Amino acid sequence: MIEISPRSSVGWQAQALAYVLALICGFATSALLIALSGASVTEGFGALYEGAFGSQEALLQSLVAATPLIFTGLATVIAFRAEIWSIGQEGQMFAGAMCGYWISLVLGAVTGWIAVPAILVAAMLGGAVMGGLCGWLKTRFQVNEIISTVMLNYVIVYLLSYLLAGGPWTEEGSTSYHQTPVFSENIRLPLIIAEVKLHFGFVLALLAAALCWVILKKTPLGFEIRALGFNPTALRFKGVNVTRTVLVVMCFSGALAALAGVSEIFGVNYRLRGDVMTGLGFTGIIVGMIGGLNPIGTVIAALLFGALANGSLYMNVLSDIPPSLVPAMQGILLLFFLSASVLVRYSIQFRRVAQ
């Protein structure tokens, strides 16, 4: 007979060992997948390493690729720690980028000291409103947040498609590409290292991670978020307004996801395009889960996935590995990390049934 029981306590060493083994197993399985595709495993992983960490430029570009994933990963952490299963990071990111662009049109040619903070605030408000709407539907009408967030993802993506494909935001004279004109310099995020476009958004992402850690660990709001995940009924009997907490969580999560859109559009691409953001919200959910729903772990996981994304570009050029294998590798890593997180929390015992 197989008996599964929760462990009373797990040391950080055991958790670290479990995640290292998950990483090894994930890459070993990915190597098997590469071999089955007919490509060279050593050549593929060599190109992946060169593209991700092979030079100072590659390393810095990996940080750029990790920046939006830190934001969407943190958005996942805040929502999932409260056991609110929001899948809306993708749409909230789009909403943030769109609100940021809209306010830049309103402000016009003002100085960057006014324009950039206004864009950040407008983007966060846009993401917060979209997240808060799903929170309101959940608390007012008991609409499942998975359904509402997924549906709003489609709504916001199609709205952007309308605005860019012949709509009011379409670049004049452009018929092949759905994009806005190139942004003027006053509304771009400040660059830290111009050669690789490492921008202020990366610093903002690290500050956001530190803020999330402090809120979750050191503040009454963090206690309410964690308690909401454990036992909302007990939290309600303690006198906490659970409805308010749900709305705060969804607004906070939406604001974080929105910053991913701003960082990618105003820090890297300098024009609003939907294709450059596609998938970053969903990847952020994987990042948050692999990070153990911990802000610090999420930053580490985002750096890993940023390196994977950056290295995959190099791998596609130098090897015969299909580009579709990279998302498959991400899924494999998620599978092993989730398995590891369960195995460290539960013990499996085999008992002989008495005759």
Side-chain angles (χ1 to χ4, degrees):
M1 184 178 69
I2 300 175
E3 184 176 305
I4 301 175
S5 56
R7 301 178 192 274
S8 57
S9 63
V10 181
W12 68 268
Q13 298 93 338
Q15 294 188 46
L17 179 62
Y19 289 131
V20 169
L21 288 175
L23 194 65
I24 293 171
C25 292
F27 277 111
T29 307
S30 300
L32 180 63
L33 209 58
I34 292 172
L36 290 174
S37 73
S40 167
V41 175
T42 54
E43 185 181 318
F45 277 130
L48 187 67
Y49 176 79
E50 282 296 319
F53 308 109
S55 64
Q56 185 181 14
E57 182 181 353
L59 186 61
L60 293 172
Q61 287 175 340
S62 295
L63 298 183
V64 175
T67 300
L69 299 179
I70 295 175
F71 284 123
T72 50
L74 292 173
T76 303
V77 170
I78 294 298
F80 282 23
R81 286 294 292 266
E83 293 207 359
I84 299 174
W85 309 115
S86 169
I87 316 297
Q89 293 83 341
E90 185 88 356
Q92 292 152 8
M93 176 183 60
F94 273 74
M98 292 164 67
C99 288
Y101 179 66
W102 174 76
I103 200 68
S104 73
L105 294 177
V106 173
L107 293 173
V110 300
T111 176
W113 290 103
I114 297 174
V116 171
I119 288 168
L120 292 173
V121 170
M124 292 173 68
L125 284 175
V129 167
M130 197 165 169
L133 175 60
C134 297
W136 179 72
L137 291 172
K138 176 183 175 66
T139 54
R140 181 69 177 82
F141 300 105
Q142 287 76 50
V143 176
N144 186 290
E145 68 272 20
I146 296 176
I147 296 173
S148 62
T149 51
V150 168
M151 292 183 72
L152 278 177
N153 284 344
Y154 285 105
V155 170
I156 202 73
V157 168
Y158 283 120
L159 177 60
L160 180 62
S161 296
Y162 158 73
L163 292 170
L164 296 181
W169 288 357
T170 307
E171 182 180 25
E172 188 176 350
S174 174
T175 55
S176 303
Y177 300 101
H178 299 169
Q179 60 189 17
T180 62
V182 177
F183 299 160
S184 56
E185 290 192 5
N186 67 309
I187 62 171
R188 299 177 183 178
L189 292 184
L191 291 172
I192 302 171
I193 301 176
E195 289 78 10
V196 293
K197 289 188 177 178
L198 182 63
H199 52 82
F200 175 68
F202 180 69
V203 178
L204 201 60
L206 297 182
L207 292 175
L211 177 66
C212 288
W213 187 88
V214 171
I215 288 176
L216 285 174
K217 298 289 185 182
K218 304 291 183 183
T219 66
L221 175 61
F223 170 78
E224 290 180 15
I225 292 173
R226 289 181 282 121
L228 184 62
F230 285 123
N231 194 331
T233 304
L235 188 65
R236 188 174 288 109
F237 276 108
K238 194 176 181 298
V240 174
N241 186 333
V242 172
T243 298
R244 178 187 61 83
T245 306
V246 171
L247 291 174
V248 168
V249 166
M250 289 301 291
C251 289
F252 189 16
S253 175
L256 287 168
L259 289 174
V262 171
S263 69
E264 195 63 16
I265 296 302
F266 291 87
V268 179
N269 293 281
Y270 302 145
R271 63 167 85 218
L272 181 55
R273 292 171 49 188
D275 59 328
V276 297
M277 295 186 289
T278 301
L280 292 174
F282 296 126
T283 307
I285 297 175
I286 300 176
V287 166
M289 294 296 289
I290 287 182
L293 298 183
N294 180 297
I296 308 303
T298 298
V299 172
I300 296 171
L303 294 176
L304 171 66
F305 273 61
L308 273 177
N310 195 42
S312 66
L313 300 175
Y314 205 73
M315 188 172 70
N316 291 339
V317 175
L318 294 185
S319 68
D320 298 326
I321 296 175
S324 57
L325 271 184
V326 173
M329 290 170 63
Q330 293 175 346
I332 290 168
L333 285 172
L334 174 65
L335 186 64
F336 278 103
F337 270 88
L338 290 180
S339 301
S341 68
V342 171
L343 288 175
V344 296
R345 284 186 289 136
Y346 294 89
S347 65
I348 302 175
Q349 296 175 331
F350 297 91
R351 296 183 185 278
R352 183 172 296 175
V353 179
Q355 299 295 323

